[in-house]
Amino acid sequence: MSATRAGLTGRLAIDGGEPVRASMLPYAHQQIDDADVDAVAAALRSDWLTTGPRVPAFEEALCSVTGARHAVAYSSGTAALHGATLAAGLGPGDEAITTPMTFAATANAVLYVGAEVRFADIDPGSLLIDPELVAGQVTPRTKAILPVDYSGQPADYDAIRAIADAAPGGRALVIADAAHSLGATWHGRPVGTLADMTVLSLHPAKIVTTGEGGAVLTDDDELAARLRRFRNHGISSELRARTDWTYQMVDLGFNYRLTDLGAALGSSQLDRLEGFLATRRRLARRYLDRLAGNDAVELPALDPDADSAWHFMFVQLNLDRLTVDRGGAYHALRAEGIGVNVHYIPVHEHPYYRGRYPGLSLPVAERAYRRLLTLPLHAGMTEADVDDVVAALDKVTTAYRA
Ligand SMILES: Cc1ncc(COP(=O)(O)O)c(C=O)c1O
């Protein structure tokens, strides 16, 4: 349902006026077509619901779209992050540096293996981890750096690589959290080739989905072998490769396997990756053009040498031009039928992390969080949907103009 004329101006829906949209536009939504349904149905009718041939086929498809040598599918992005920190050899006494502007899973994966997190604050415009602040967090214990490609834009991998290579305790590994950035490029290089390991999430909100799912991409044969073991109880052989009943458990691993149902869906989705990305980029460009005239919102800072996958669009409110705070704007926009969201509550502000790292202050992330809104962006949206969001933002920021 698109905007009605009366809803575009006048009384805010939160005050009883007519909303811009009659039904809620979600911030994210999966795109499932008949080919996806047929692919999953074929997997269901096959002999293999899990540990079957569709998983390596999906992994090969991931390699061919990203250029990575190896892809290891996991049951979720979180499991894939855990696999990556295990494969990196992180453990008690080690430290890993990451950003506070992420979903807690990124930092949690460091804690799962007994290592400690050090947070480096972010750039105020892109909200990507700031390499200079990463350098300030390096200690002789630093074993890994986990940048996050926030909103789909890759972090500064050359700067981070240089810091990791110069770590005083020996070369640290770069583990990219690319949950948002499948299909993005940075200085002409695709996500999946920018770090030692690159972690994808294949949750329905992401660029492509397997239901729940994730993957780790790497060019390193030894890391790939470890990643395969850790998702399969630490067993050194895959079920279909065995010639008799014997197998060896050589590491303490987990059951983090992706099913063949998920892999079938993922392969079918990857066939449409280029189209998904093209739509997201076209809609993002329209947002940037249309919002440029609204001085109550600050647009994302973009690296001209990056081509974002645009997992979501974010804006930061210029609160000194408004009489509401972010929470007020959020509720007013939701009342207008715009499914805005907030990514993210900075990780160190969650009670668990507050308890673990008391008094930690990361002022750039904290200020950004107070001003942040995620705007709807997914491959099922149209230009008219973007125009509704822009109209609702104009309506709300006009009504609350300071
Ligand atoms: C940046 C980031 N890292 C990790 C994850 C975890 O992925 P999953 O939900 O697939 O476990 C997410 C998903 O929300 C994410 O956005």
Side-chain angles (χ1 to χ4, degrees):
M1 174 89 51
S2 73
T4 58
R5 279 218 125 345
L8 292 177
T9 53
R11 199 141 63 105
L12 293 178
I14 202 166
D15 295 329
E18 191 172 343
V20 170
R21 290 177 70 98
S23 61
M24 187 72 85
L25 174 67
Y27 95 90
H29 200 272
Q30 67 274 15
Q31 300 307 307
I32 302 296
D33 72 2
D34 287 348
D36 294 332
V37 173
D38 291 347
V40 176
L44 273 170
R45 291 194 183 96
S46 79
D47 289 335
W48 300 91
L49 301 188
T50 190
T51 67
R54 285 174 173 80
V55 175
F58 175 53
E59 292 173 338
E60 274 169 37
L62 277 174
C63 289
S64 75
V65 298
T66 59
R69 264 167 59 80
H70 303 281
V72 184
Y74 272 74
S75 53
S76 70
T78 303
L81 279 164
H82 189 189
T85 54
L86 281 163
L90 280 172
D94 297 330
E95 293 175 355
I97 301 168
T98 193
T99 166
M101 190 51 72
T102 185
F103 185 54
T106 319
N108 292 351
V110 175
L111 302 185
Y112 290 162
V113 293
E116 280 304 328
V117 178
R118 292 181 77 97
F119 290 103
D121 212 343
I122 55 174
D123 174 86
S126 66
L127 310 193
L128 293 168
I129 198 166
D130 181 333
E132 271 185 35
L133 300 176
V134 171
Q137 292 299 323
V138 171
T139 76
R141 293 168 180 254
T142 304
K143 214 153 175 190
I145 303 175
L146 289 84
V148 174
D149 297 343
Y150 178 83
S151 81
Q153 178 169 220
D156 183 346
Y157 283 96
D158 283 349
I160 291 164
R161 173 83 272 156
I163 295 163
D165 284 350
R171 183 180 184 276
L173 289 186
V174 179
I175 303 172
D177 183 335
H180 302 175
S181 61
L182 173 62
T185 61
W186 189 79
H187 295 251
R189 289 142 60 197
V191 160
T193 63
L194 298 166
D196 295 296
M197 287 183 273
T198 300
V199 178
L200 304 176
S201 165
L202 303 164
H203 178 276
K206 300 303 194 304
I207 310 287
V208 300
T209 188
T210 56
E212 292 284 358
V216 188
L217 310 172
T218 184
D219 283 349
D220 185 301
D221 297 347
E222 178 50 34
L223 287 174
R226 276 189 242 158
L227 287 162
R228 287 186 197 288
R229 287 201 298 275
F230 283 124
R231 76 158 171 204
N232 191 28
H233 307 278
I235 293 172
S236 56
S237 57
E238 304 270 340
L239 180 64
R240 286 184 314 118
R242 294 182 207 151
T243 52
D244 60 22
W245 70 93
T246 59
Y247 58 86
Q248 291 187 311
M249 196 203 101
V250 296
D251 287 312
L252 185 60
F254 298 82
N255 178 352
Y256 280 160
R257 295 186 299 256
L258 182 68
T259 65
D260 280 57
L261 312 184
L265 177 56
S267 291
S268 177
Q269 291 256 303
L270 278 183
D271 288 342
R272 304 203 302 291
L273 174 63
E274 281 311 317
F276 290 161
L277 291 167
T279 304
R280 287 175 177 278
R281 287 172 178 152
R282 182 166 40 79
L283 298 177
R285 179 47 53 202
R286 191 174 184 94
Y287 265 129
L288 298 173
D289 291 345
R290 298 281 159 115
L291 289 172
N294 185 340
D295 66 1
V297 299
E298 191 181 306
L299 298 175
L302 300 176
D303 177 345
D305 290 321
D307 198 4
S308 175
W310 285 112
H311 169 45
F312 56 72
M313 172 60 65
F314 68 96
V315 294
Q316 298 185 68
L317 297 173
N318 282 327
L319 294 176
D320 51 355
R321 294 182 201 265
L322 296 170
T323 57
V324 275
D325 60 10
R326 187 272 315 282
Y330 168 94
H331 289 296
L333 286 161
R334 300 281 296 193
E336 299 292 342
I338 308 300
V340 287
N341 207 325
V342 175
H343 294 93
Y344 289 96
I345 302 165
V347 176
H348 70 290
E349 300 219 293
H350 286 292
Y352 177 82
Y353 278 89
R354 278 269 168 250
R356 197 163 177 128
Y357 304 108
L360 179 62
S361 158
L362 298 160
V364 185
E366 289 161 21
R367 176 168 183 270
Y369 170 62
R370 289 194 293 275
R371 307 166 62 216
L372 256 182
L373 281 175
T374 302
L375 308 183
L377 181 53
H378 56 79
M381 281 172 54
T382 63
E383 265 85 1
D385 292 326
V386 170
D387 293 349
D388 283 353
V389 179
V390 172
L393 258 174
D394 285 344
K395 183 180 175 187
V396 167
T397 54
T398 302
Y400 291 125
R401 177 70 49 167

